[in-house]
Structures are given as structure tokens and as C-alpha cells.
Amino acid sequence: MKPILSKQDLLDSISFCVIVPTYNNQKTLKRVLDSILDFTSNIIIVNDGSTDETGDILKQYSQLTQIHHPKNMGKGRALRNGFRKAIEQNFEYAITIDSDGQHFPSDIPVFLEEIYNEPNSLLIGSRNMTQENVPRKSSFGNKFSNFWFKFETGIVLEDTQSGFRLYPLKLIPKQFYTNKFEFEIEVIVRSAWKGITVKNVPVQVLYDPAERVSHFRPFQDFTRISILNTVLVTNTLLYIKPRDFFRRAKKKGFKKFFLEDILESNDSNFTKSASIALGIFIGISPFWGFQTILLFTFAALFRLNKVIAFLSSNVSFPPFIPLVIYGSLKTGSLFISSDAPLILDSSATLDDIQKNAAQYIVGSLILATVLALSSGLISYVLLTAFSSKNKPNI
């Protein structure tokens, strides 16, 4: 346990700056900046093309680092440029705070205390979204974002949309692809994928309808966020989850991983055998290109073992594909006749396969169902026998 530091020692011991992105927040900007100055003068202000009195207000703070965009480029771009400047100035951490007055700079030590005890984390201020004056759309949007963040990373957070955050500048991804509000989702998801600890810290929040100006555009920005989540979910299913699985298995040793994490998991024998059945069914079914997405979707829906299901789906691994196609066509021929039965040799053409598409699709679905049920049943019997054999005698 590290020694407890005073607030001033905490401020002095951590290399951090505060980034303030601002766009047309003339009513609250000065109050926010003055409050931050009570804690640090390491402030980077990013004026994102404001058209109100922001420029005149910032003239009073010429001692602070300022970035001025000639036109509004979006919060994501403002933060990205702020990060770049902070890295140029050799800061290790950057705290971001919105300029609309909803956050309290007096919570800055909360972030520093947490990062002092757990360095290199990405911290997100957790607001009380049930208090008075919190807009319903903000509460709904936060729950929506929390759900998809958990799906994409496996991490449960209470608040994923707060703009009051602390970033480990040297660890977060070097390149980003979004420029608007959705950036704040991209950066935490991709940081979590890199293995950075992402967690909440409690902060205060003030929603004053008379002062607060929101630039969130419900239709445009929600559409952007939905598109981003679609991309992130697809990447999660096709790359991140398989990558993490193989990393865990390689680190532990494939044999030990299989015996301890899969066979000896807390799942029931029925769940394990059902997972095998699902993997076999998806692997043989004619859902080429969508197998991984379907596999993880159904495994999550029915609360099955995703690792076992994924391993079982490799029945369609390239060396086995000719056998799967051949078996599907043979099975399909028992139910659908063809004027030109397909002969799988070097003379077969794509046109020949297309003529037998119905035979293949029906056959693969039937074959997948039969093999899935039989594999699941056999697995259940073997797992039950194995479990009984290894039970200690009382």
C-alpha cells in the first residue's frame, strides 16, 4: 500500500495536464477555467471554432496553452488535438473536462488519488444520473452506451459517456478514426482492447438548464454512435474475442487451458454439451461469412460457453470444408433430386455448384442438425461419466 499523500503532494507528484474542449460555452467557460486554476496551471484549451464570446474570454488566459480551430471540427477532433499537444509537452496523463459547467474541477484530486494507487489506468467520472434535472435522453444514452461497452469489452461500467476523464497518454491508441462525440466511445473501447484498465471514479455533476448548452444532435450523433458500435461489435466477434481466447490459451498452455478452463469450468455438463452442439451446427450450416457473429450471438443469448462453442465450430476448418460440402450434398440428394447430380472432381464448375445450391443448403442444414444433436448427446454422456469418475468417494 502506497503512503497517503496530501492534496498538494498529490498534485505535485503526478505529471498531468487538464484539457478543456470548448464550443460556444461563453456562460460557463470562465468559471470552469478559474476553478481548474485552483489546482493546476497546466491547462490546454481547445477552442473548437466557437462563434460566441469565447475568443474574447480566452484573451484573459493568454498564459495558458490554447488551440484555436478556424471552424467547428467536433469534440473528438478537439480532444485528439489536445492529446497531441499534451504529449508534445511531455505530460504522462491528461484529464479532460467539459466547459459546460456540469463537472466540478474540485474532483480533480479524486482522479489523481486513484491513478496514484493504480497507475496507467483510464478513469471515467461516474455521475449520478438519477438526480434532479438530468435529461432523460442523457440517462437513456448512458445506459445504451454502457450495454454496448460491456458487450465489446466484457467490462461493466456505470458511466461511459462522462466527459470528465483521465487518460494515460502514452498507452492509449496512437491513431483514431472518429472526430465527433463518438470518439469518446472509440477511445475507451480500443484502450480496453489494448489491456488498459478502464474504470469509473465517483464525481459530482450539475445540470443547470439555464446555463448548460448541449451540442449533441440526437439524430446525427446517435446515428454515428450506432455505426461505430456496429463496427466495434463486428471487430469484437471476428477478431478480439478469438484473439483473447488464443492469448489466454497460449499463456497457460493449450492442454492446461483446455483441462482447467473448459472441461473444469463452472458450467454444467448440459451447458458444455449444448455449447458443443451449437458450435457443430454453426460450423456446418451454410452461413459462410457470418458464422462467428452468429456463434457468439447465440452463445450469449442462451448463456452457453463461448470458448467451447468456438472450438467446436472449427469443424468447418479449411481442411474439412470439402468433407462438409460433400456430406451436405449427399444428404441433400436424399431429399431434393437434381437433373445433373454434382460430381466433385476437377471438372466441377461454379455453374454446376449453383445448379445444386438448393440441394446443398437443405443438406447442410439437415446434416448440421443431426451432427449437432448427436455430438451434444455423446458429449453429455461422456462429460457425465467423466465427472462421476472423478468425484471423490465419501
Side-chain angles (χ1 to χ4, degrees):
M1 184 69 179
K2 292 184 176 181
I4 298 175
L5 299 181
S6 67
K7 183 170 70 175
Q8 189 57 52
D9 287 340
L10 199 61
L11 293 169
D12 294 338
S13 65
I14 298 175
S15 172
F16 79 98
C17 67
V18 178
I19 298 175
V20 185
T22 186
Y23 175 62
N24 289 351
N25 286 126
Q26 62 181 17
K27 292 182 179 180
T28 54
L29 177 60
K30 189 177 189 308
R31 185 178 79 231
V32 170
L33 293 176
D34 289 342
S35 297
I36 298 172
L37 284 169
D38 289 338
F39 299 91
T40 182
S41 59
N42 297 328
I43 303 174
I44 298 173
I45 307 166
V46 186
N47 176 15
D48 190 26
S50 297
T51 56
D52 59 1
E53 301 302 317
T54 293
D56 293 332
I57 294 172
L58 292 182
K59 290 178 182 178
Q60 305 172 37
Y61 299 90
S62 58
Q63 79 277 20
L64 303 179
T65 301
Q66 298 184 21
I67 300 172
H68 293 270
H69 293 171
K71 62 179 181 179
N72 181 251
M73 302 175 70
K75 186 178 183 182
R77 176 58 67 175
L79 289 173
R80 289 169 62 177
N81 287 343
F83 290 162
R84 186 177 296 111
K85 179 61 69 173
I87 292 172
E88 288 176 3
Q89 296 180 353
N90 294 317
F91 289 108
E92 190 172 354
Y93 297 99
I95 293 177
T96 62
I97 184 169
D98 295 335
S99 62
D100 58 5
Q102 69 166 294
H103 302 304
F104 290 75
S106 57
D107 282 325
I108 287 176
V110 174
F111 288 90
L112 299 181
E113 183 176 348
E114 186 66 34
I115 209 67
Y116 172 72
N117 291 316
E118 192 169 351
N120 300 323
S121 300
L122 193 162
L123 307 177
I124 303 174
S126 179
R127 304 161 294 175
N128 179 4
M129 302 300 288
T130 63
Q131 71 181 51
E132 187 179 1
N133 293 327
V134 175
R136 287 186 178 181
K137 63 180 181 180
S138 295
S139 180
F140 168 78
N142 193 46
K143 291 177 180 178
F144 178 84
S145 178
N146 295 347
F147 170 81
W148 286 115
F149 181 76
K150 178 184 177 182
F151 187 94
E152 292 153 3
T153 67
I155 301 172
V156 178
L157 294 180
E158 296 178 354
D159 193 344
T160 53
Q161 289 199 316
S162 171
F164 203 0
R165 304 179 176 190
L166 181 147
Y167 293 93
L169 292 170
K170 297 177 182 178
L171 299 180
I172 60 175
K174 298 295 187 292
Q175 184 177 2
F176 297 99
Y177 304 98
T178 54
N179 293 315
K180 306 292 184 180
F181 282 100
E182 70 274 16
F183 169 81
E184 290 183 303
I185 296 174
E186 179 192 357
V187 65
I188 61 173
V189 171
R190 292 183 56 212
S191 293
W193 286 350
K194 287 190 66 178
I196 298 172
T197 298
V198 181
K199 60 189 298 185
N200 283 136
V201 293
V203 296
Q204 307 168 78
V205 65
L206 171 66
Y207 280 91
D208 187 346
E211 286 190 335
R212 185 170 182 266
V213 177
S214 174
H215 302 292
F216 186 85
R217 300 166 300 175
F219 178 76
Q220 296 98 319
D221 291 318
F222 189 77
T223 299
R224 288 176 178 272
I225 290 171
S226 298
I227 293 172
L228 173 63
N229 275 316
T230 299
V231 173
L232 293 176
V233 166
T234 301
N235 195 36
T236 297
L237 296 175
L238 295 181
Y239 174 68
I240 298 299
K241 287 189 179 294
R243 180 204 68 179
D244 291 346
F245 162 71
F246 283 110
R247 281 182 177 177
R248 290 196 305 272
K250 183 178 180 181
K251 184 177 180 180
K252 197 167 193 177
F254 286 98
K255 182 178 179 180
K256 187 176 181 181
F257 179 78
F258 181 77
L259 291 174
E260 294 184 0
D261 293 63
I262 298 179
L263 290 183
E264 295 299 326
S265 70
N266 294 324
D267 294 325
S268 66
N269 290 335
F270 177 80
T271 299
K272 293 175 183 176
S273 56
S275 303
I276 292 173
L278 174 66
I280 295 293
F281 179 81
I282 294 295
I284 295 177
S285 298
F287 303 126
W288 306 104
F290 300 95
Q291 289 177 327
T292 303
I293 293 177
L294 291 172
L295 178 76
F296 283 111
T297 299
F298 283 114
L301 181 65
F302 295 111
R303 298 183 179 180
L304 301 179
N305 188 306
K306 301 179 184 66
V307 175
I308 294 178
F310 178 74
L311 287 174
S312 303
S313 70
N314 283 305
V315 68
S316 60
F317 197 69
F320 303 135
I321 290 177
L323 296 176
V324 172
I325 295 176
Y326 179 78
S328 299
L329 287 168
K330 279 296 184 181
T331 303
S333 67
L334 300 176
F335 299 89
I336 297 178
S337 60
S338 174
D339 295 333
L342 182 64
I343 300 175
L344 291 176
D345 59 19
S346 58
S347 64
T349 64
L350 181 60
D351 187 54
D352 294 328
I353 296 175
Q354 289 176 338
K355 290 178 181 177
N356 290 269
Q359 193 179 77
Y360 164 71
I361 292 172
V362 171
S364 63
L365 289 173
I366 294 173
L367 182 64
T369 302
V370 171
L371 289 181
L373 291 174
S374 58
S375 298
L377 179 60
I378 293 171
S379 300
Y380 181 77
V381 171
L382 293 175
L383 286 169
T384 302
F386 181 81
S387 300
S388 301
K389 182 179 179 181
N390 285 277
K391 280 184 178 179
N393 294 324
I394 300 176

